[in-house]
Amino acid sequence: MKMADTQVQEETFTLEEILAGTKEYHRLILWNDEINTFDHVIHCLMKYLDYSESQAERIAWKVHNEGKCAVLEGTYTEVDVYRKILKEEGLTVSIE
């Protein structure tokens, strides 16, 4: 009987990615940029993260004045889903 050729694909991870995977809670950070309007940021926060209009406005002002704001906490997997969605909308986001 002939054995099938099997190839193993090796994945490499940075130390940052490995350590990120061991943390229980991660924060999705929304960063200030010169591209997005207040209205667009507020719309995205309401649509995807279920914030009320007044909450979304407060977050938008905090981002504008302080440069960034945590908008979501959860496991890396949960937070990464929203990072991808908000990035698709053109927002500047990262995970801490």
Side-chain angles (χ1 to χ4, degrees):
M1 184 157 95
K2 185 176 180 204
M3 297 294 286
D5 287 336
T6 54
Q7 293 183 351
V8 176
Q9 188 167 0
E10 190 175 307
E11 277 191 77
T12 57
F13 297 95
T14 65
L15 180 58
E16 188 176 285
E17 288 171 327
I18 292 167
L19 293 175
T22 63
K23 277 176 57 180
E24 262 185 64
Y25 285 100
H26 298 270
R27 299 183 319 152
L28 181 62
I29 306 299
L30 175 62
W31 294 87
N32 190 32
D33 60 38
E34 300 301 318
I35 302 160
N36 293 288
T37 64
F38 272 70
D39 286 343
H40 181 63
V41 171
I42 291 165
H43 166 78
C44 290
L45 291 171
M46 291 170 59
K47 180 176 181 179
Y48 299 110
L49 298 179
D50 208 26
Y51 281 106
S52 70
E53 188 171 359
S54 63
Q55 289 171 320
E57 287 174 0
R58 278 197 300 276
I59 291 168
W61 277 105
K62 183 172 183 176
V63 169
H64 177 73
N65 291 320
E66 298 179 20
K68 68 178 186 174
C69 180
V71 295
L72 180 70
E73 278 194 1
T75 66
Y76 185 86
T77 304
E78 292 166 341
V79 172
D80 193 45
V81 168
Y82 291 98
R83 181 193 62 80
K84 290 174 184 171
I85 291 169
L86 295 179
K87 189 174 180 180
E88 282 289 314
E89 286 285 351
L91 301 185
T92 306
V93 287
S94 66
I95 297 175
E96 285 184 352

